[in-house]
Amino acid sequence: MKVTILKKLLAVLTLLVTAQIINAQNQPPTITLTGNNTDTYMDVGASVLLTFNATDPDGTVQRVDLIYNGVSQGNQGTAQNTTVAAPINIGINEFYAIAYDNLNASATSAI
């Protein structure tokens, strides 16, 4: 009798734990991207020092990709890094970063 009750209790607890895990929502990471130069105009060929900071409230940041003028510059590391961006081209130059967490959720920094 005691064994049967314990088995039923264990089955109920297993269902409760399973339901808790299934209902858990992965929160995406957050990321900020800042540059050392806030001037509106820069010389062609000048470089920009970019710093990003990425965090994940319920996991870990796995990678951060830097995008420069719509082209990925590849994985820049995880969580926090400073990198020198490619030389500035003539015209408008846009930079942003995308952070990915351990469950592949992503967030994009402001442009």
Side-chain angles (χ1 to χ4, degrees):
M1 180 78 168
K2 287 182 181 180
V3 172
T4 303
I5 292 172
L6 287 176
K7 284 182 181 179
K8 287 182 180 182
L9 181 60
L10 182 59
V12 169
L13 288 175
T14 302
L15 285 173
L16 289 173
V17 170
T18 303
Q20 179 72 22
I21 292 171
I22 290 172
N23 290 329
Q25 295 283 334
N26 180 36
Q27 296 179 27
T30 59
I31 184 163
T32 58
L33 178 67
T34 57
N36 68 327
N37 192 327
T38 57
D39 293 338
T40 303
Y41 300 99
M42 295 181 67
D43 292 332
V44 172
S47 294
V48 176
L49 185 66
L50 298 170
T51 301
F52 62 81
N53 186 17
T55 59
D56 187 33
D58 61 354
T60 57
V61 175
Q62 293 299 304
R63 78 175 201 271
V64 175
D65 293 342
L66 177 65
I67 312 298
Y68 171 49
N69 287 339
V71 178
S72 175
Q73 304 302 302
N75 185 350
Q76 301 298 309
T78 61
Q80 187 172 20
N81 194 8
T82 300
T83 186
V84 176
I88 297 298
N89 295 323
I90 293 175
I92 297 172
N93 292 265
E94 294 180 336
F95 299 93
Y96 63 95
I98 305 172
Y100 297 89
D101 73 5
N102 55 307
L103 296 175
N104 211 32
S106 64
T108 302
S109 70
I111 294 178

